[in-house]
Amino acid sequence: MKLSDGVEAAIHCAAVLAQLNGEATLPGSALAELHGLSPSYLLKHLQALTAAKILESIPGPNGGYRLAKAPERISLLDIVLAVEGHQPAFRCGEIRQRGPGALEAEAYVKPCGIKVAMLKAERAWRAVLAETKLSQIVSGYEADADPRAVAFNCAFIARHQRPQGETSLKKSK
Amino acid sequence: MKLSDGVEAAIHCAAVLAQLNGEATLPGSALAELHGLSPSYLLKHLQALTAAKILESIPGPNGGYRLAKAPERISLLDIVLAVEGHQPAFRCGEIRQRGPGALEAEAYVKPCGIKVAMLKAERAWRAVLAETKLSQIVSGYEADADPRAVAFNCAFIARHQRPQGETSLKKSK
DNA sequence: ATATCCAGGATAGAGAATATCCACGATAGG
DNA sequence: CCTATCGTGGATATTCTCTATCCTGGATAT
């Protein structure tokens, strides 16, 4: 069992976008550069997050990505499901209905006990992810990470973010 | 994210072996036939369970598999880890150490907050699996499954199990 | 000795995840 | 109106794991 690598990248990106000012956006290429990831591949995951209404995308020059809602309302589960899909990790193949001794399909009204137990464990996993919000990740980062890393991140965001709404400040460089 | 199919087969097999009498064993080929699975492939998973000390194997004619300990002392987590390996589902790629603002490795003493959150969720998943014992799966099966299926299973086991310890009863067929 | 069974390595094949590329539509700015 | 920038989405190649099978060798009861 393995979560796809895209999950990690997606959470990191969402955490960065949570630090933008107001309606500002950040282009996908900047997110890729900041994390040292391939732009072409990262865009796929950003699109998945956009389709899941976690991010918003603004096309055109001065466009980019931003969060679609407050970081307190985005959970890690939202992000994981957007990237990984909604299928449970345990897929019951109904082995009990195979082999000699198999009965008609109608005989299997009660769900397989093994499936029930596995899905119960998965619900516990999802519950923890659901109560962990993006805002907690961000404040944890700002509190625990090396101040130099935080400062660099902050400056990088300030340098690349695009203010939205009106034609306003000129980018200094 | 997806659990390998072997997990489902392994749990079913363990549940069947839990229904054996005393020290009796059941050959891997019988387990494969009972579940309608390929013997060659199922053996791989049975070997993994044996290596994890969940099953015991007896070589030679009259040999086979049996549980290595009481079903109350075998959890679903034991089986899942034996088949899937002990690596967590979320592997932190230390994305935070990549990209332009990366610092020296010594600057990252505190673990990544994202990793911590993901592993916490995984611990919750494992905790539920750890407290679900094979004995519960078996009694749940005997209580909920179609009586005909239970009877067939029981008869199949009686027909194929191999009593151990002494040269005793002759198999009727 | 022989037949039965498990152990474990070698080896394909299938399918998913990873990684790129390109044509297209949208939009801000000149 | 033209152009440069940016996201969308499809097509494609590559890599890797899981799935599945086979075969040799070792152990053991008859």
Side-chain angles (χ1 to χ4, degrees):
Chain A
M1 180 182 54
K2 181 175 170 299
L3 255 66
S4 90
D5 293 345
V7 170
E8 186 182 3
I11 299 176
H12 276 278
C13 287
V16 169
L17 292 177
Q19 301 174 57
L20 291 178
N21 307 322
E23 297 186 307
T25 66
L26 203 60
S29 56
L31 284 169
E33 183 194 342
L34 177 60
H35 295 117
L37 300 171
S38 136
S40 338
Y41 188 48
L42 183 59
L43 284 184
K44 284 281 181 275
H45 298 306
L46 294 177
Q47 281 174 31
L49 294 176
T50 306
K53 303 278 171 61
I54 296 169
L55 302 186
E56 274 177 358
S57 67
I58 310 292
N62 224 29
Y65 292 94
R66 69 180 167 214
L67 295 187
K69 45 191 174 182
E72 296 79 19
R73 295 181 50 228
I74 298 176
S75 71
L76 291 192
L77 181 62
D78 296 330
I79 300 177
V80 169
L81 291 185
V83 174
E84 285 278 329
H86 287 249
Q87 279 201 313
F90 180 83
R91 272 92 133 171
C92 180
E94 290 292 335
I95 283 186
R96 58 179 185 162
Q97 297 191 34
R98 303 176 54 168
L103 304 171
E104 342 77 56
E106 295 77 32
Y108 300 96
V109 282
K110 296 213 184 185
C112 172
I114 294 173
K115 173 183 177 180
V116 171
M118 296 300 293
L119 292 186
K120 180 182 166 200
E122 205 159 335
R123 273 199 301 279
W125 178 73
R126 291 191 177 197
V128 172
L129 289 183
E131 69 199 18
T132 307
K133 307 300 184 186
L134 188 57
S135 49
Q136 301 170 242
I137 297 293
V138 174
S139 39
Y141 170 74
E142 287 168 344
D144 289 347
D146 188 296
R148 291 170 295 163
V150 176
F152 179 90
N153 232 279
C154 214
F156 186 95
I157 292 172
R159 194 159 62 241
H160 289 89
Q161 73 177 350
R162 316 287 182 76
Q164 296 296 318
E166 71 289 336
T167 306
S168 48
L169 3 157
K170 195 129 199 135
K171 294 198 301 299
S172 58
K173 165 147 171 272
Chain B
M1 181 181 54
K2 182 176 170 297
L3 255 67
S4 91
D5 292 345
V7 170
E8 186 182 3
I11 299 176
H12 275 278
C13 288
V16 169
L17 293 177
Q19 300 174 60
L20 291 178
N21 307 323
E23 296 187 307
T25 66
L26 204 60
S29 57
L31 283 168
E33 183 193 344
L34 177 60
H35 294 117
L37 300 172
S38 137
S40 342
Y41 187 48
L42 183 60
L43 284 184
K44 284 282 179 273
H45 297 307
L46 295 176
Q47 282 173 33
L49 295 176
T50 306
K53 302 278 172 59
I54 296 170
L55 302 187
E56 275 176 357
S57 66
I58 311 291
N62 224 28
Y65 292 95
R66 69 180 167 214
L67 296 188
K69 45 190 174 182
E72 295 80 19
R73 295 180 49 228
I74 298 175
S75 71
L76 290 192
L77 180 62
D78 296 330
I79 300 176
V80 169
L81 291 185
V83 174
E84 286 276 331
H86 287 249
Q87 279 202 315
F90 180 83
R91 272 93 134 171
C92 179
E94 289 294 333
I95 284 185
R96 58 179 185 161
Q97 297 190 33
R98 302 176 55 168
L103 304 171
E104 343 77 56
E106 295 77 31
Y108 300 96
V109 281
K110 296 215 184 186
C112 172
I114 293 173
K115 174 184 178 181
V116 171
M118 295 300 293
L119 292 186
K120 180 181 167 200
E122 205 159 337
R123 272 199 300 279
W125 177 73
R126 292 192 176 196
V128 172
L129 289 183
E131 67 198 20
T132 308
K133 307 301 183 184
L134 188 57
S135 49
Q136 301 170 242
I137 296 293
V138 173
S139 40
Y141 170 74
E142 288 168 344
D144 288 346
D146 188 294
R148 291 170 294 162
V150 177
F152 179 91
N153 233 278
C154 213
F156 187 95
I157 292 172
R159 193 159 62 241
H160 289 90
Q161 73 177 349
R162 313 288 182 75
Q164 295 296 317
E166 71 291 336
T167 306
S168 49
L169 2 158
K170 195 125 201 142
K171 294 199 301 297
S172 58
K173 164 151 171 273

